Amino acid sequence: MARRRRRRISFGTVLMLVLTIGALCLAGATIAYIAGDDLRLQTGQLFERMTETFRQYAGGRPEPVGAAPDASASQATAGPTATPAPTAEPTAQPQRTVTLSAVGSIYAPKNIRQSGYDEESGTYDFSALFGRVKPYISQADLTLGTIETYFAGEEAGYSNYNAPDALLDAIRDSGFDLLSLASEYALEKGEDGLRQTIMQLENRGMIAAGAYADPEQVGSAQMIKINGVQIAVLAYTYGFSDNTMERTRASQREGVAVIRQSDMVRDIGNARKAGADVVIVMPHWGTKNREEVASHTRSLARALAEAGADLILGAHPNVVQPVEKLTVMRSDGAQHDAYVAYSLGSFLTDSREAQNTAGMILQVRFTYDPQARTTRFDEVGYIPTYIQRVQEDGEYAYRILACADESYIAGQNTSVQKAIQTAQDAVVEAAGEDVVNLSGPQT
């Protein structure tokens, strides 16, 4: 028996179906536009059904289509849907607190050098210099100072700017962690003397800032991690002594960072990019024995704070100058607080001028918030210091005293007590109102 042939749709029939569907869709779209969203939804669903019917009838392959919704689906409340697994929130990082102590210039000329020499043994011992003040600086997480006398070795010849290594031993033993070497006297014993000094610090587990054995590294920050906080320290000098300028070439001075605002701003930015949470800058600036701060120094301090410096610790004038809180706008568009100590005064010198015998230990406690990436200053205070000179066995001896050391001061004669009080008064007057006197008044 002959096989029955399958009927196929003629081209004219297909064409008529397409035109009919198009007309219906156009009419439906017009009505839906007038009627609103609900009818537009239903019209779209009707179009899908008609299209599917046409495809099946015409012999084409149907696309998968979801089940048609119930007539009342658009009116009913949607049923429960699968809830995606909760994304684990990052664990909040705890805030981290760091304590810091900072002092001014440490200068050990001939008189101080001789005070530590024992002629009988031919050795030096400077531990008595710092013995009374050690408890006030050794407890901090980080203690910093500026050195103006270097350690080039006995063969280089001891002088006002080159001391026995025993002085560095005493400095380290008293609690110092970092010394800025950036001063006008950094190259008094040449490049070799400076490299020797850097090596001597490193051999004692200390950090040298502002001077570099490799000139290619000039401007790079010393990075120190304390309590989970990455601290960057940068140091600079205003220039060099006349003696250094006469005895060295420009290329020989490239290992010491020099104050140039553009370079300093760049270095602070690079330290931040390298991961610094807190930036400390130690500029050797200002004018010796001048208590007033020059306007250009204030402008530079603000520029450094705006660039990202949190703490600016000045040295060189050898007298105490104000400590100020600066509130600045940084590149992130937020306001930040920074502190600048224009000059911390003399921590050690042989001068007996009243203004030179007074200094301060700046004590700071700050908290770093890793979530907000901000630094909060919890306490910024100071302890005035006094450099005492006494006679022992016919020779002068020097002691650095904290004006908070009441038990020791009470045992001194009236003349010494008066000198200590004068030093404290000068420091309190110079420090200003943005910091707290942590020693209290002395009588």
Side-chain angles (χ1 to χ4, degrees), residues 39-367:
L39 188 54
R40 281 200 290 272
L41 174 62
Q42 293 179 21
T43 302
Q45 294 168 352
L46 176 61
F47 175 73
E48 287 181 355
R49 289 184 185 181
M50 293 173 64
T51 304
E52 172 61 15
T53 301
F54 169 72
R55 284 174 175 164
Q56 291 177 350
Y57 188 74
R61 190 169 184 172
E63 294 290 332
V65 179
D70 211 309
S72 62
S74 61
Q75 316 260 333
T77 303
T81 57
T83 303
T87 303
E89 294 185 3
T91 304
Q93 299 182 54
Q95 297 185 356
R96 299 153 185 176
T97 299
V98 175
T99 58
L100 175 146
S101 289
V103 304
S105 302
I106 302 172
Y107 173 52
K110 180 180 178 181
N111 289 337
I112 290 178
R113 182 176 75 251
Q114 290 180 334
S115 73
Y117 182 68
D118 180 66
E119 190 171 356
E120 187 174 332
S121 63
T123 60
Y124 291 90
D125 182 359
F126 298 95
S127 56
L129 269 174
F130 306 98
R132 301 300 315 179
V133 80
K134 178 178 178 179
Y136 299 91
I137 60 177
S138 61
Q139 300 303 311
D141 296 318
L142 178 65
T143 299
L144 311 93
T146 296
I147 192 82
E148 295 185 359
T149 298
Y150 298 81
F151 306 95
E154 185 176 6
E155 61 278 6
Y158 292 142
S159 68
N160 290 345
Y161 308 108
N162 183 39
D165 295 344
L167 176 63
L168 188 57
D169 291 333
I171 292 170
R172 180 69 184 101
D173 182 66
S174 64
F176 283 89
D177 303 292
L178 179 147
L179 293 178
S180 167
L181 303 183
S183 87
E184 69 270 41
Y185 305 116
L187 291 165
E188 288 294 301
K189 294 299 180 180
E191 291 177 284
D192 291 341
L194 183 59
R195 291 194 188 96
Q196 176 74 4
T197 299
I198 295 171
M199 184 183 71
Q200 292 295 345
L201 264 71
E202 292 175 347
N203 288 346
R204 289 162 176 79
M206 299 179 70
I207 300 167
Y212 305 80
D214 179 3
E216 294 294 323
Q217 298 298 314
V218 170
S220 60
Q222 290 288 7
M223 304 291 275
I224 313 157
K225 196 159 192 176
I226 300 174
N227 299 341
V229 180
Q230 190 82 310
I231 300 173
V233 181
L234 293 158
Y236 306 84
T237 178
Y238 71 90
F240 301 96
S241 68
D242 292 341
N243 183 56
T244 294
M245 295 297 288
E246 291 173 2
R247 297 178 58 185
T248 61
R249 299 186 301 274
S251 61
Q252 295 175 307
R253 301 190 289 270
E254 292 178 352
V256 182
V258 175
I259 292 175
R260 297 185 188 93
Q261 181 173 316
S262 58
D263 291 351
M264 299 167 83
V265 168
R266 177 203 62 203
D267 296 343
I268 292 169
N270 288 341
R272 290 288 186 187
K273 291 175 184 177
D277 301 318
V278 174
V279 177
I280 299 171
V281 180
M282 302 177 69
H284 203 74
W285 59 7
T287 304
K288 282 190 181 296
N289 297 322
R290 181 171 295 176
E291 297 174 354
E292 299 80 14
V293 181
S295 59
H296 64 82
T297 301
R298 292 182 184 275
S299 297
L300 177 56
R302 180 163 288 275
L304 299 180
E306 290 172 347
D310 297 289
L311 193 59
I312 303 168
L313 306 172
H316 176 63
N318 295 336
V319 295
V320 174
Q321 293 177 343
V323 181
E324 290 183 351
K325 176 182 176 181
L326 303 177
T327 300
V328 297
M329 188 79 71
R330 292 183 180 162
S331 59
D332 59 2
Q335 285 189 333
H336 294 263
D337 289 337
Y339 276 86
V340 52
Y342 290 103
S343 174
L344 295 170
S346 293
F347 188 64
L348 176 64
T349 183
D350 66 340
S351 173
R352 300 319 298 162
E353 293 293 329
Q355 61 181 351
N356 299 141
T357 61
M360 71 160 66
I361 303 169
L362 188 70
Q363 296 194 325
V364 179
R365 185 178 72 249
F366 61 84
T367 298

Side-chain angles (χ1 to χ4, degrees), residues 396-415:
Y396 284 126
Y398 294 83
R399 305 282 185 270
I400 304 171
L401 309 178
C403 295
D405 190 356
E406 295 180 353
S407 60
Y408 178 83
I409 295 170
Q412 302 302 299
N413 62 42
T414 303
S415 176

